[in-house]
Amino acid sequence: MFKNLKNDIPSSLVVFFVALPLCLGIALASGAPLFAGVIAGIIGGIVVGAASGSSLGVSGPAAGLAVVVLTAIADLGSYELFLVAVVIAGILQVILGLLKAGVIGYFFPSAVIKGMLSAIGIIIFLKQIPLAMGFDDQSNSVFSFFETTGQDTFLSLAHMTDFVSIGVVTITAISLAILLIWDKVLAKKNKFFKLVPGPLVAVIAGIIYQLLFSDSSSMFEIHGRNLVSVPVPESASDFIGQFTFPDFSQLGNTKVYIVAITIAIVASLETLLSVEATDKLDPQKRVTPTNRELIAQGIGNSISGLVGGLPITQVIVRSSANVMSGGKTKLSAIIHGFLLLFSVMLIPHFLNLIPLGVLAAVLLIIGYKLANPKQFIQMFKLGKSQFIPFVVTVVAIVATDLLVGIMLGLAVGIVTILINSYKNSHFLHIEDVSSGKSKVKMVFAEEVTFLNKGAIQRELASMPKNSDLILDVTKTRSLDLDVLEILDDFAITAANKNIDITLISEIGEFRNPQSYREIFGVEVFQSAH
């Protein structure tokens, strides 16, 4: 794991700078103490990072859970009681992992996962535009990437010109220039520029800019609301005082268990989706053990709940930042957790000098890479069965939220599978029409189910009078009773239309059979091969 330090340390810095404002912003959107988001980020990095089998996944507080958390705190009446639900949710996730429920993640089509990545890229990109312009409506939760609907994002975009800050625009432009030149030009010329990450240079430039213009009272000044905001403890006791502990006195409250089950299900699903997406981004194409991931997330959530943190999931925003920044192993996620811990303990004043415009520039680059237009072109070339679920997933996630978009994409994917199954139940070959009597050969697929009834019935109904039909089922391993009934009914139709049928199977060859069910028998046919 330590062989890739030259890659993992720079990547961990990028993930740290991406994670810090997200931890604070998600806590704000969740109606929880700001420090709760930082706690979740620390535990997600150190504890979950160490226990997980994912090489590149990064865990922390998830914006997709913000609405769930906000509602749960209100329903339960206190944050301390909510923490009990988080602890129980973690235990439930461990149980799910032991029951091997991680296999659920493998049932999501590739087109849906790619659509999720592109949609997240678009949302990341759109979310940064108001921040890059200096828009600072904190009631809008501009830190978060996913809300109940997309209205907050589009509202921010519609009104961002009302809050333009020359200082923020300037530092965003400077940061973008540094990132692009560092990555596209300097990194190719000298090894030094590969070792030092561009985002770190951009952050340093942002801090220097803030120190130069903080008291200038000029148009280039960046106000405090456009800076990172980390709680600043005055002493060690103040720091410890930021931790909140669960109230176990109401363990018998049924509402706690309802919230716990909700968190466990939503957090597990988001984690499994992120695992699938992160594995697709991995240049080495390593496969994360999903059951172990659920156990790791459960351990992390239980510990987070015990010390006052928000619920944790593997998060695609941070994970993709890790991949795009060149991370190689889980050490990157672990180091980012320690960086969060040390920064809020030792240098909170220093962190509060970082302009949000710098972080917006970093995320603009990441968002563009995830939603690269080339991906849309590639999916279009793969055909409708891939492109339609992909586009539906993208549009639905951007317009609604992550889980709704995924479910819609999955539904469209299932419909596509059903349509393809309807079409691909058999192959139709017209072999000879020169003698005036058409000869048609239908080769059935390996598995023919009730979903294929319509296609088979349509083709049989179109058979002309006085023709020959060859039904080839030699490759078929499973033939549904519904299809056998169609063939039995067609035997009567064929006799009336003077159609000669030859059935070819591994059992034997039959001429004008009257009952296919008697020849095979459903059970006999399915087990005969």
Side-chain angles (χ1 to χ4, degrees):
M1 186 167 63
F2 294 96
K3 292 179 180 179
N4 295 282
L5 278 174
K6 65 178 182 180
N7 299 104
D8 289 331
I9 290 178
S11 179
S12 67
L13 287 169
V14 175
V15 177
F16 162 69
F17 286 122
V18 169
L20 180 62
L22 290 181
C23 290
L24 297 169
I26 291 166
L28 180 69
S30 302
L34 289 182
F35 195 63
V38 179
I39 294 172
I42 293 168
I43 294 172
I46 299 173
V47 177
V48 179
S52 169
S54 177
S55 299
L56 296 171
V58 182
S59 298
L65 278 169
V67 175
V68 175
V69 174
L70 184 67
T71 305
I73 294 173
D75 288 344
L76 295 175
S78 73
Y79 185 67
E80 290 77 9
L81 192 55
F82 168 76
L83 292 176
V84 178
V86 177
V87 174
I88 297 172
I91 295 171
L92 292 175
Q93 283 186 292
V94 171
I95 294 172
L96 287 173
L98 293 174
L99 294 175
K100 302 189 183 304
V103 70
I104 296 171
Y106 296 127
F107 289 95
F108 289 87
S110 175
V112 174
I113 300 300
K114 290 177 181 177
M116 180 184 77
L117 287 170
S118 293
I120 289 171
I122 292 171
I123 293 172
I124 290 174
F125 194 92
L126 293 177
K127 277 290 183 184
Q128 303 323 301
I129 296 175
L131 285 178
M133 300 292 287
F135 181 65
D136 62 352
D137 184 1
Q138 296 299 319
S139 65
N140 213 5
S141 182
V142 292
F143 292 99
S144 64
F145 290 110
F146 309 106
E147 296 88 11
T148 308
T149 70
Q151 293 176 358
D152 289 344
T153 300
F154 298 116
L155 183 65
S156 299
L157 291 172
H159 294 284
M160 66 183 178
T161 54
D162 299 336
F163 301 89
V164 173
S165 167
I166 300 299
V168 175
V169 172
T170 302
I171 193 57
T172 302
I174 292 172
S175 301
L176 279 173
I178 290 173
L179 292 169
L180 293 173
I181 294 172
W182 205 271
D183 183 45
K184 301 295 182 182
V185 180
L186 299 178
K188 297 177 181 178
K189 292 187 175 183
N190 194 297
K191 290 184 178 179
F192 169 79
F193 297 107
K194 288 185 178 180
L195 294 174
V196 180
L200 177 60
V201 178
V203 167
I204 293 172
I207 292 173
I208 293 172
Y209 181 97
Q210 175 60 16
L211 290 172
L212 290 174
F213 292 98
S214 59
D215 296 320
S216 65
S217 299
S218 69
M219 64 179 181
F220 293 103
E221 181 184 2
I222 298 177
H223 299 286
R225 56 182 176 268
N226 285 310
L227 300 171
V228 169
S229 178
V230 177
V232 181
E234 297 298 330
S235 63
S237 60
D238 286 344
F239 179 77
I240 296 173
Q242 294 182 89
F243 290 87
T244 309
F245 303 100
D247 176 14
F248 288 107
S249 64
Q250 297 191 50
L251 267 178
N253 191 333
T254 55
K255 289 184 178 180
V256 172
Y257 294 93
I258 294 172
V259 171
I261 293 170
T262 303
I263 292 173
I265 293 172
V266 176
S268 298
L269 183 55
E270 285 208 26
T271 291
L272 293 174
L273 291 172
S274 293
V275 164
E276 186 80 5
T278 304
D279 285 352
K280 287 188 179 299
L281 291 174
D282 184 4
Q284 299 181 41
K285 301 304 176 187
R286 289 164 289 189
V287 179
T288 299
T290 52
N291 296 318
R292 177 178 169 181
E293 186 65 29
L294 286 179
I295 293 171
Q297 296 291 333
I299 293 170
N301 270 319
S302 291
I303 295 174
S304 182
L306 286 172
V307 294
L310 291 173
I312 296 169
T313 74
Q314 189 179 121
V315 189
I316 189 58
V317 175
R318 272 156 271 192
S319 300
S320 59
N322 191 22
V323 177
M324 300 299 179
S325 304
K328 298 294 184 183
T329 72
K330 63 163 67 180
L331 193 61
S332 175
I334 296 171
I335 293 173
H336 120 274
F338 279 109
L339 288 173
L340 284 172
L341 175 61
F342 295 147
S343 64
V344 295
M345 286 178 61
L346 305 175
I347 54 169
H349 292 287
F350 182 75
L351 294 176
N352 289 340
L353 293 173
I354 302 173
L356 291 176
V358 176
L359 304 179
V362 173
L363 289 167
L364 281 170
I365 299 293
I366 292 172
Y368 178 79
K369 287 181 178 179
L370 283 175
N372 196 311
K374 291 181 181 178
Q375 176 79 332
F376 288 79
I377 296 171
Q378 289 173 355
M379 294 303 294
F380 180 77
K381 289 180 178 178
L382 289 174
K384 293 180 181 178
S385 62
Q386 293 294 312
F387 186 67
I388 293 176
F390 170 78
V391 170
V392 168
T393 303
V394 172
V395 174
I397 290 177
V398 173
T400 58
D401 64 19
L402 183 65
L403 291 178
V404 172
I406 287 290
M407 291 301 111
L408 285 174
L410 181 61
V412 172
I414 291 172
V415 171
T416 303
I417 291 171
L418 294 178
I419 292 173
N420 288 337
S421 178
Y422 171 83
K423 292 179 178 178
N424 297 327
S425 59
H426 63 282
F427 299 98
L428 181 63
H429 304 283
I430 299 178
E431 292 191 336
D432 182 19
V433 293
S434 59
S435 62
K437 188 175 184 181
S438 63
K439 189 175 184 179
V440 178
K441 184 177 183 180
M442 293 176 65
V443 182
F444 276 39
E446 188 170 320
E447 183 173 354
V448 185
T449 70
F450 72 94
L451 298 173
N452 311 127
K453 286 169 55 178
I456 294 172
Q457 204 157 23
R458 185 186 67 242
E459 298 294 353
L460 293 175
S462 66
M463 286 290 299
K465 294 180 180 180
N466 305 314
S467 57
D468 290 335
L469 172 63
I470 299 173
L471 294 176
D472 187 345
V473 294
T474 53
K475 296 181 180 179
T476 306
R477 295 293 175 265
S478 178
L479 192 62
D480 210 339
L481 176 62
D482 295 71
V483 179
L484 290 173
E485 289 178 346
I486 289 175
L487 295 177
D488 279 346
D489 293 341
F490 181 70
I492 300 172
T493 304
N496 294 332
K497 295 174 69 174
N498 194 27
I499 298 173
D500 287 325
I501 303 174
T502 303
L503 176 68
I504 303 173
S505 71
E506 290 187 0
I507 298 175
E509 187 172 314
F510 302 88
R511 181 85 172 185
N512 291 324
Q514 296 301 305
S515 176
Y516 293 84
R517 280 175 290 184
E518 287 183 8
I519 292 173
F520 299 119
V522 179
E523 294 181 4
V524 175
F525 186 79
Q526 289 181 344
S527 62
H529 305 293

